[in-house]
Structure formats: structure tokens, C-alpha cells
Amino acid sequence: FPPEKIRNFSIIAHIDHGKSTLADRLLELTGTISKSADNKQILDKLQVERERGITVKAQTASMVYQAKDGERYLLNLIDTPGHVDFSYEVSRSLSACDGVVLIVDANQGVQAQTVANFYLAFSKNLVIIPVLNKIDLKHARPDVVTEQLHGLFEIPSESVLRISAKMGIGIDDVLEAVVSRIPHPTGNRDLVTRALIFDSWYDRYKGVALLVAVVDGHLRLSQNITIAQSGKSYETKEIGVLHPDPTPLRTLYAGQVGYLYCNMRSIKEASVGGTIHPTNATVEILAGFKKAKPMVYAGVYPMDQSEHPMLRSALEKLLLNDSSVESKVESSAALGHGWRLGFLGVLHMDVFNQRLEQEYGAQVVLTAPNVPVKAKIFGAKNIKAYGGEIVTVNNPANLPDPVMIEEMSEPFVIGTIITPDVFLGEIMSLCMDRRGVQRDSRNIDSERIMMTFKLPLNEIVVDFYDKLKSITSGYASFDYEELGYEPSNLTIMDILLNGDLIPEMTSIVHVTKAKERGKAICARLKETIPRHQFQIAIQAAVGSRIIAREDIKALRKDVAAKLYGGDRTRRDKLLKRQSEGKKRMKMIGRIEMPRETFIKVLER
Ligand code: GTP
């Protein structure tokens, strides 16, 4: 296929608007997969994706289409994940495309991710084919939704296709539009080879697979190649296209999209966004994309320390397949040896955790997540000691001494919410409660509004989305884009037991939230710490000020006497059990804290 007969495109959509169903139809209609029930949603490969119905890892497939002009075209469908946490992956998949099919559910209409996806594609100058899906539904409102697209994005109404992916209506119109509206890749086959790496995964037998878009020249088997960004060289061992199963070829030409194995052992070398060129040639580096930065951190520990080696090997395997997860060993006196992992967002964290449990049977303790904060240090001496004026902290326990901090900053986002207007009031109070500031609000049709808020990321990482769904019975949609760090009135909150600090429980909170958080943690501790011979005071403190307090009353004397009295063997047995138990205890002053207590309080 010469470049003029190739089209590289993605399907983008809000979650559940029918992306996978349409992808399957396109593959069926072009004879790439057969029409059978087993092939349902062939692109959603992972079990988590099946269960949750969301596409996590981008998958790609090539198909051959006989168009109405009588010509045969090679269509490369580059799949993109469909959730806010993965917008980075959407962005990188789009780098390999010349156009997109933007699906909108004809019943639900434009949703928050529709807006985000539209602007992603628009900012990359891609041709956008608007498609209304699910026109078979009784409540479909194609005219209203067409008007929304026009009002929001100035999309001409006559360019909007109407289909039903489920019933197979209008599918060939989509294929025709892909051929006629999306430009072919512009690469030159006579130039020195350049290929963009836009995804990677790990194969247990063959090592790292790279997904590449060949921009100029060609890639062939047994060629010596170099990744410009890392300077590392390899020899191509297998190249081919995904059809959708890997189909080896001898050569991939400019304009084509395919996979490549080159005996790469570590996914860290994969440099997604990097440029491949022939070894010994110099080329201009292709515009890649920014590496995704983890924005949500959490500690991961085995439920039982004896499971540590098993958890390590499970983690290693998963990390091989997801280079966007950051990992660092961490240990805590209370929780033992574990890791601090960095995720793109909360859903990313959930999916990772679910995979860990599902695919490896590992039972893990995941601590409550936190976002990174930046601390500005003052004083030349302090700055030198910390190796810079700005220190980014991923774990509250590692925050520099508060007396040396001039200012703290936290990450903010712009959140977009689309909702029926009846929920306006409740959404406003939710956002305000989360320290949000409204930026904009506009009607997108007679009963729906789109609002944007500036929000601290920290306030949305845990349960914002769930809350929003529950107050709107699932009718509101949400997406966000990062805005960067801004100074914020953050403070350190410590938890004390009879005056002794529990380092694991130190957290960074906004001053307006300190009291509420402090109270909640104290109450949780009161529930979980066993009673002792003496009274225990649980306190939350900001600096020297106590902001919350709970007390655990002392055990009554006679209870203890009875416990340790009685016959000899019973006493020995109890003492033995106690000493075993002690190993799992941590002492805070004179207070014994069972590991389970830490888990219950720290776990999210
Ligand atoms: P993600 O992969 O999570 O982004 O979802 P998706 O956009 O791929 O949605 P998917 O294709 O999984 O479809 C979501 C639901 O809508 C499924 O239950 C489909 O059966 C249904 N669906 C898809 N297309 C149509 C359609 O044309 N008509 C009707 N009635 N239902 C459809």
C-alpha cells in the first residue's frame, strides 16, 4: 500500500458511548475478524477491561477496506483508552494519527470526555469525523446532539454521521468518511527512516514489543536501529502489523503502523515518544509527547510480611507492562517493607491494584492516596541541605522540617462537568466543599449545562467522582486537565498517642480541612486501638495546637487479673500468644499498636 492508500485514525469517545462496539464492527465489515460472539470487543483484551468495561491499554489493528471508489485501502485503527486518567495515553495514540472518529451517544449527548477528547484532537490539527451512535435507541435525540456539537465546537451539522454500532447501521459510512475525509500520511519512503514509538508492552517470551508509526523511509527485518533519545542500538528481530493478531512482515513502510521486537529486555528502554532511526544515520527527532507524570501516590504493602517476595515478583511483572507507574521501595516500622507507587490518577491506581490481585493473587494493603506537593525552602544553608529551593514531596513523611519551608504548593486542575441543570445547586456545593472555584458555565442545550471549576487535585483524587455520580444519579460526567502547581495554605497534621507522634499518620492538609480530617482520623483510631491498662489520649495536632481529640478509657483492673490468673498451662499459652502477637505490634510510647490497626487506619 502506497501512503495515498493508507489512513491512520483513532476512535475517541466518552466512556460507554460505543467505541469498542464500533471498532468490532469495522473489523467485521472489513473481514479482519469473523462475525462471532467470541470476538466480542476484540480490542479490549485485559480482564480488568472486560469487567469494568473500560479500555485501559491502547490496542491497535490494521484492516483492508475495499472502498466505493473501487480502490483498496489500508486502515490502521489506533485504539485509545477511554478514561480521564488515561488522557495521556489518548494523547500519545493521537500522535500516530491523521484523523479521528469522535463518537457521541445520541441519547446521552456530549459528555465531559467528549469535550476533552475533541480539544485533544483539535489541538493536534487532526480531521474530526463526528459520529452519533445508538440512533436505534428509543430516546435517541440526534437533532439535539447535532446542535450541541454545532454550538460547542462549530461542527457543521451536515458533516455529522448517524449510526448504530450495535445494529450495524451506517458502519460503511464511517469507513467511507475515514477514506474520504482523513488525509493520508505524508511520509516519504525515499528519506532516511524515522519511526515514532507510541506504545509498548511486554511479552514474556520475546521481550519488549514496540508499537511504531513509520514516518519516513522503512523499517526492515534484521536492521540495526537506534532510539535517538536514549542513543541505544538494537537489531530488529520481528516486525509486522496487528491484524488484529500479530502478523510478521519483512518491511514496514512510511505511513504504516506496526509492531517491532528487537531483543529489548526492559520496558524502561522503550522510550515511548522516542524516534527510531537507522544506526549511524542522523535524523531530526520527531515531535513526541511529554512523559506522563504520576500524580497520585500510595504505599503498597503485603498483607502479611511473609508474602513480600511474592508481591515483589507480581509487582515486577506488572510494572513491565505499565511504564507509567513509578515505583520505589519504602519501609515503615508499622507496615514493614513495601513500595511507594505513583499513578496517573485514582482509576489508574484501582486498575493496577485490581490487576495485582486478579492476575497474581496478591493480597495487598494500599494506603490512602496522596498527591505530590512542592515545598519552597528558605535560607541558603537550608536550600543547600535539601539540594534545591523547591522540594517535591511524594510522601508526607518525607516533608522537610516545617520551620524551613517558606511556602507550599499543590497541583490544581480545571474540571469540566456536564450535567442536567436540575443538579446545578448540589454540584455547586460539592465543588465549593472541595475548595473549587467556578470558572465558567454555559448551556449546551435546553436542559444541560457545562461548568468548569478550578479544583485542587487532592480534593478529587479520592471520592469526588463517586460523590458527583451519586448526587446526580449518574447523569453528570466529569473530566479534568492539569493546571500545574500553585501556592496553597497547606499544613502538616500530626497524630499523637499520649503525646507521642505516629510518623506513619502524618499528613499534609489544607488549613480549612485540618479539623475535619483530624477528627475523622482520631475517631477511626479510637475504634481500632485495643484498650490498655491505662487511658490513651488520641490527638491531632497542627504545630503545637491540638485540633481534635478522642480518649480510650483504661481497662478495668479485674478484667486483667482474671485474664492472667487461673491454671498454669492456660497462662503459658496466653503468654506465648502474647509474645507472638508482640512481633506484630509497634510501640508508640507505652502503647501497643497492632499492625491491623495501622492497616485499618491507613488503608483507603
Ligand atoms: P469504553 O471502552 O469503556 O470506552 O466503552 P466503549 O465506548 O467502548 O463502549 P462499548 O462499545 O463497550 O459500548 C457501551 C455499551 O453501549 C455496550 O453495552 C454496548 O452494547 C452499547 N452500545 C454500543 N453501540 C450501541 C448502539 O448503537 N446502540 C445501542 N442501543 N447500544 C449500543
Side-chain angles (χ1 to χ4, degrees):
F1 287 92
E4 306 79 62
K5 295 283 153 57
I6 300 177
R7 300 291 181 271
N8 294 327
F9 73 107
S10 273
I11 305 176
I12 52 179
H14 189 79
I15 198 156
D16 273 351
H17 282 197
K19 192 182 69 182
S20 310
T21 311
L22 176 62
D24 284 355
R25 286 291 170 274
L26 298 180
L27 295 177
E28 278 172 20
L29 204 79
T30 54
T32 315
I33 55 171
S34 63
K35 244 189 194 155
S36 96
D38 319 340
N39 274 328
K40 253 188 94 53
Q41 310 208 338
I42 200 89
L43 294 176
D44 281 2
K45 280 187 191 146
L46 295 159
Q47 188 187 351
V48 186
E49 296 183 351
R50 287 247 160 91
E51 273 184 16
R52 298 200 164 204
I54 50 168
T55 319
V56 177
K57 192 97 186 129
Q59 310 271 357
T60 290
S62 302
M63 54 195 131
V64 176
Y65 174 59
Q66 172 93 42
K68 297 206 169 117
D69 63 7
E71 302 282 342
R72 276 154 45 91
Y73 292 86
L74 176 66
L75 308 185
N76 296 312
L77 166 58
I78 294 156
D79 195 16
T80 54
H83 189 275
V84 21
D85 279 2
F86 302 96
S87 63
Y88 154 77
E89 290 199 4
V90 176
S91 161
R92 77 188 194 196
S93 304
L94 295 188
S95 297
C97 293
D98 302 294
V100 297
V101 171
L102 176 69
I103 304 187
V104 186
D105 183 317
N107 175 35
Q108 285 193 11
V110 171
Q111 300 287 302
Q113 283 150 54
T114 318
V115 180
N117 283 329
F118 172 85
Y119 283 112
L120 259 181
F122 187 75
S123 66
K124 286 182 184 276
N125 267 326
L126 301 179
V127 166
I128 296 167
I129 302 173
V131 172
L132 302 189
N133 186 30
K134 311 197 186 181
I135 54 160
D136 59 292
L137 288 176
K138 208 166 81 214
H139 297 292
R141 311 165 300 150
D143 294 335
V144 174
V145 180
T146 302
E147 201 39 54
Q148 289 177 349
L149 289 172
H150 180 70
L152 282 168
F153 312 130
E154 294 170 17
I155 290 176
S157 304
E158 59 280 7
S159 70
V160 180
L161 305 180
R162 297 181 179 197
I163 69 162
S164 165
K166 192 170 166 182
M167 318 298 281
I169 301 167
I171 309 301
D172 45 357
D173 295 343
V174 177
L175 289 166
E176 284 296 318
V178 166
V179 168
S180 63
R181 296 190 202 173
I182 295 176
H184 61 77
T186 50
N188 186 333
R189 291 186 175 184
D190 300 325
L191 289 179
V192 181
T193 306
R194 291 194 297 168
L196 176 73
I197 306 172
F198 67 92
D199 203 356
S200 64
W201 71 85
Y202 190 81
D203 181 288
R204 201 183 308 183
Y205 303 106
K206 298 179 184 172
V208 178
L210 302 177
L211 266 188
V212 297
V214 185
V215 175
D216 289 319
H218 63 269
L219 279 174
R220 49 184 176 73
L221 207 54
S222 311
Q223 183 181 11
N224 292 314
I225 55 166
T226 298
I227 299 180
Q229 281 79 353
S230 67
K232 290 204 165 141
S233 298
Y234 307 87
E235 187 186 339
T236 55
K237 293 292 178 196
E238 180 180 330
I239 59 177
V241 291
L242 297 165
H243 198 58
D245 295 319
T247 310
L249 293 174
R250 298 197 62 82
T251 318
L252 276 179
Y253 292 100
Q256 285 189 306
V257 169
Y259 70 93
L260 152 72
Y261 286 101
C262 55
N263 274 353
M264 192 184 277
R265 284 288 139 207
S266 161
I267 202 103
K268 293 212 176 75
E269 295 170 49
S271 357
V272 168
T275 302
I276 291 178
H277 62 79
T279 307
N280 300 328
T282 36
V283 297
E284 199 180 320
I285 286 175
L286 295 164
F289 24 89
K290 271 191 268 156
K291 194 169 160 40
K293 283 186 306 299
M295 287 312 269
V296 174
Y297 287 84
V300 173
Y301 293 85
M303 194 58 99
D304 191 297
Q305 275 298 311
S306 67
E307 289 166 6
H308 184 267
M310 195 184 109
L311 179 58
R312 179 174 55 212
S313 98
L315 270 175
E316 277 168 2
K317 283 185 196 125
L318 273 176
L319 291 172
L320 275 177
N321 255 314
D322 192 345
S323 53
S324 54
V325 179
E326 200 180 281
S327 121
K328 231 176 159 178
V329 292
E330 173 178 273
S331 60
S332 142
L335 298 174
H337 295 289
W339 292 264
R340 187 140 202 97
L341 301 182
F343 305 96
L344 302 177
V346 179
L347 180 83
H348 187 205
M349 175 169 83
D350 281 350
V351 166
F352 190 88
N353 189 33
Q354 200 180 338
R355 257 188 225 168
L356 203 55
E357 294 193 345
Q358 251 170 20
E359 292 174 32
Y360 302 102
Q363 267 278 332
V364 300
V365 178
L366 200 61
T367 67
N370 67 277
V371 305
V373 298
K374 289 190 190 227
K376 189 173 169 193
I377 310 289
F378 71 88
K381 217 175 89 207
N382 299 336
I383 292 173
K384 204 167 162 210
Y386 280 105
E389 193 185 3
I390 306 287
V391 180
T392 306
V393 181
N394 299 330
N395 182 347
N398 301 338
L399 198 73
D401 188 340
V403 298
M404 296 177 189
I405 299 175
E406 183 179 319
E407 184 179 72
M408 283 204 262
S409 315
E410 64 178 324
F412 282 80
V413 301
I414 291 290
T416 300
I417 297 172
I418 292 185
T419 176
D421 52 14
V422 290
F423 302 116
L424 182 67
E426 273 159 299
I427 292 176
M428 294 285 280
S429 22
L430 172 67
C431 289
M432 257 131 80
D433 178 55
R434 302 301 173 98
R435 300 192 274 135
V437 176
Q438 193 174 10
R439 277 281 183 96
D440 187 28
S441 161
R442 62 194 280 196
N443 292 320
I444 64 166
D445 63 33
S446 59
E447 56 205 35
R448 271 159 219 252
I449 43 177
M450 177 166 92
M451 292 184 278
T452 51
F453 287 89
K454 180 177 162 184
L455 287 151
L457 180 63
N458 190 34
E459 298 285 339
I460 58 173
V461 290
V462 181
D463 60 350
F464 179 82
Y465 195 57
D466 290 340
K467 281 260 155 61
L468 182 70
K469 284 266 161 206
S470 88
I471 60 179
T472 63
S473 314
Y475 281 110
S477 62
F478 175 71
D479 202 346
Y480 65 82
E481 65 183 291
E482 283 163 22
L483 202 60
Y485 289 79
E486 285 184 24
S488 185
N489 205 352
L490 299 174
T491 185
I492 298 168
M493 184 173 73
D494 291 319
I495 301 294
L496 311 166
L497 287 187
N498 281 354
D500 291 310
L501 193 130
I502 323 178
E504 286 86 358
M505 306 241 166
T506 294
S507 59
I508 300 170
V509 292
H510 193 261
V511 284
T512 58
K513 297 276 171 148
K515 199 158 185 149
E516 185 187 320
R517 272 289 300 279
K519 272 190 174 159
I521 297 181
C522 288
R524 241 168 140 175
L525 278 168
K526 182 178 180 175
E527 268 171 37
T528 41
I529 297 178
R531 285 168 80 177
H532 282 58
Q533 307 286 348
F534 45 86
Q535 171 166 323
I536 300 172
I538 309 165
Q539 296 169 308
V542 168
S544 55
R545 203 160 51 88
I546 302 299
I547 54 169
R549 172 176 181 142
E550 294 278 355
D551 289 312
I552 301 176
K553 292 214 165 56
L555 277 172
R556 291 210 323 275
K557 277 266 160 40
D558 53 341
V559 176
K562 202 156 125 203
L563 199 67
Y564 294 109
D567 73 283
R568 178 70 198 257
T569 49
R570 183 174 133 80
R571 185 166 175 272
D572 284 353
K573 209 168 87 194
L574 280 174
L575 285 177
K576 183 160 174 280
R577 198 187 297 158
Q578 186 194 21
S579 75
E580 276 168 4
K582 276 244 169 64
K583 283 191 224 139
R584 323 184 97 228
M585 298 275 188
K586 175 175 169 170
M587 300 300 289
I588 306 283
R590 285 197 300 144
I591 301 156
E592 291 170 345
M593 289 272 286
R595 192 165 177 267
E596 287 68 38
T597 303
F598 278 94
I599 292 176
K600 276 190 200 134
V601 179
L602 293 174
E603 208 175 19
R604 54 191 224 101

